[in-house]
Amino acid sequence: MRVLLKEILDCSPDAAWRALRSPAVFREVGSPLVSVTSEQANGFPTIWEEGAHPVALRALGLIPLGRQMISLGVSTRHNGDVRILRDSGHGTSGSLAALTRWDHSMAVSPDPAGTGKTLYRDQLIFAAGPATLALWPGFWVFWQWRMRQLSRLAPTWRFDRGVDLEPATD
């Protein structure tokens, strides 16, 4: 099944891209419906790097949903104008282990209208065998919540040159 959303976010594409790679933003957009804790030795990083990131999830902060391996990859398209963060991880325990497919892509690009804002596209493709159809409404509602949270938070995001970019090397 698929959940597909598109929205213009009130921030620059650079600020949106940094926010998408922030575990703090990841946790905030799901809250309070889903709480997430890192299972990495040093906890959450400041910025997600490509690779595997084990987490534990709880509904409403109380009900264990299980553990998930977030598996991140980054790509670009259209001469770098479209930046994509993709999670192709999988559930490793609890109800999350019932998911047989997880493909979550988030793309940011400049607003085609030239406003300086961000065109954000979010696509989740998931499967859970016979339970897929029953799970779709829950994922759809949660993804609507996430988009509402992203839209609410976007005006507060900033991208600080010199802080957010690695120094140039010769």
Side-chain angles (χ1 to χ4, degrees):
M1 296 296 293
R2 182 170 88 149
V3 178
L4 181 62
L5 300 171
K6 182 167 75 169
E7 185 78 32
I8 299 295
L9 298 178
D10 189 10
C11 64
S12 72
D14 287 337
W17 181 242
R18 185 181 195 294
L20 284 185
R21 295 180 350 227
S22 165
V25 170
F26 168 72
R27 295 176 71 201
E28 192 166 359
V29 299
S31 179
L33 301 179
V34 174
S35 64
V36 184
T37 55
S38 175
E39 300 226 316
Q40 290 182 240
N42 296 326
F44 284 113
T46 302
I47 294 290
W48 294 115
E49 297 291 335
E50 289 187 272
H53 304 276
V55 296
L57 291 91
R58 290 181 173 270
L60 304 172
L62 303 170
I63 305 162
L65 295 172
R67 291 180 167 80
Q68 180 174 347
M69 184 63 68
I70 295 173
S71 182
L72 297 177
V74 172
S75 62
T76 60
R77 295 200 175 124
H78 302 290
N79 298 320
D81 281 348
V82 179
R83 291 173 275 187
I84 302 164
L85 181 64
R86 179 175 180 220
D87 173 14
S88 57
H90 60 280
T92 58
S93 72
S95 60
L96 296 173
L99 295 165
T100 57
R101 180 173 185 198
W102 184 265
D103 187 359
H104 180 207
S105 297
M106 297 162 281
V108 298
S109 59
D111 176 7
T115 64
K117 296 179 182 181
T118 300
L119 173 60
Y120 173 76
R121 288 164 286 184
D122 193 327
Q123 175 177 264
L124 171 65
I125 299 172
F126 72 94
T132 302
L133 190 57
L135 291 174
W136 186 85
F139 280 119
W140 186 87
V141 166
F142 183 65
W143 250 245
Q144 301 305 311
W145 175 259
R146 287 182 75 249
M147 183 60 80
R148 184 174 174 179
Q149 294 285 79
L150 286 166
S151 294
R152 181 182 63 81
L153 292 169
T156 68
W157 296 336
R158 299 290 178 263
F159 181 79
D160 298 323
R161 292 205 182 277
V163 174
D164 293 325
L165 290 177
E166 293 293 322
T169 57
D170 295 323

